[in-house]
Amino acid sequence: MNAKQTYKLSSQNSVSYGSEEQEDETWKMYQERKNIILEFLNSELSITLLKRHQTRVELLKKCSYYIEILPKHLALGDQNHLMLPTTMFQLIDPWKFQRMKKVGTAQTKIQLLLLNDLLEQLKQGRVALVELLKSYTAATFLSDWDTVSRRISELSGLMDNFLTTLVPGRLYIKHRLVSDIGTTKIPHIRLVLRTKMPVAFDRKESVAYEDWVSLRWFSMGQHSPPDQYELRFKLLDPRTPQERSQSGGIPVTANSFEIRNLLPNRSYEFSIKRADTYTLVYEAWHDTMSLRTKPSTSENVQSMN
């Protein structure tokens, strides 16, 4: 082998080695960036986490929303304690407060719609990233990495917005609701939206008997003291004008109630929700269930005969 042939062979080996090294570096970079996406999918966009967020959104849709008044601070030199909300209500212009309740209702509806939209975008973003990992070749993946990286950043921002929106926010007041009255020092106030968990029947403990029912309910997701509720009932298949009176609404301040003087062997529908109050701004859901009273003793005897 002459010198020329030896040089040619050496050059070919060098080129081959350089190509293999470049392929290894490309593959290594591909795996690293692929792992970035996998880690993002398994942490911020995991299926378990998205399902948990979906459950939280569905729960918020069933919540009751109220305006809560919180003084920002005491007037300088004031030795009294913070004013109680009941005292503040006496000083607030009722017309202005009703207007703020409408603002609270609108803000709540927008918040719930926004949560739905953000969650849907996060779900679609996860699907797109999973498909990207399946369909892209290493070369195409790396060439589009700037776009992929930007999309991950956008999805991370969407998740931050979603988590922030999960918490009912502050109501923005354009005008003061409380005016200065003489020399009385009125603290500035802020209004915030507060939620109460939805109320649901305890279906295991709610039982129908021959001519009465025993109903129990609870606040979903939490143990809370009894509140003010509105319990409604109606006979589902009234057959006479008199039977149509088998319905009504009952205010209850407890977590249980018994309704008597019902018709035997008939189906009734019951609903429970929190009672309307002065500060309530939004409540779109109430729990409903049906129970059938047991046949009367005479009906049982006849059936046996």
Side-chain angles (χ1 to χ4, degrees), residues 179-242:
S179 302
D180 293 334
I181 304 175
T183 58
T184 304
K185 295 179 180 178
I186 306 299
H188 292 290
I189 63 172
R190 59 191 174 97
L191 302 182
V192 297
L193 287 174
R194 180 172 59 88
T195 60
K196 285 188 178 181
M197 290 293 103
V199 183
F201 283 113
D202 187 333
R203 283 162 168 76
K204 291 183 178 180
E205 297 295 329
S206 296
V207 184
Y209 299 91
E210 181 179 318
D211 61 353
W212 64 285
V213 294
S214 175
L215 302 172
R216 291 184 179 274
W217 53 87
F218 59 94
S219 294
M220 296 169 61
Q222 67 179 25
H223 296 286
S224 60
D227 205 341
Q228 296 179 351
Y229 307 101
E230 181 182 335
L231 175 65
R232 303 195 67 83
F233 73 100
K234 67 177 180 179
L235 181 65
L236 288 178
D237 56 344
R239 300 165 188 170
T240 65
Q242 290 76 15

Side-chain angles (χ1 to χ4, degrees), residues 56 60 65 111 115 162-170 193 195:
R56 180 72 183 277
L60 286 174
Y65 291 79
Q111 177 185 1
L115 283 172
F162 175 82
L163 294 175
T164 302
T165 309
L166 274 176
V167 182
R170 175 179 174 179
L193 287 174
T195 60

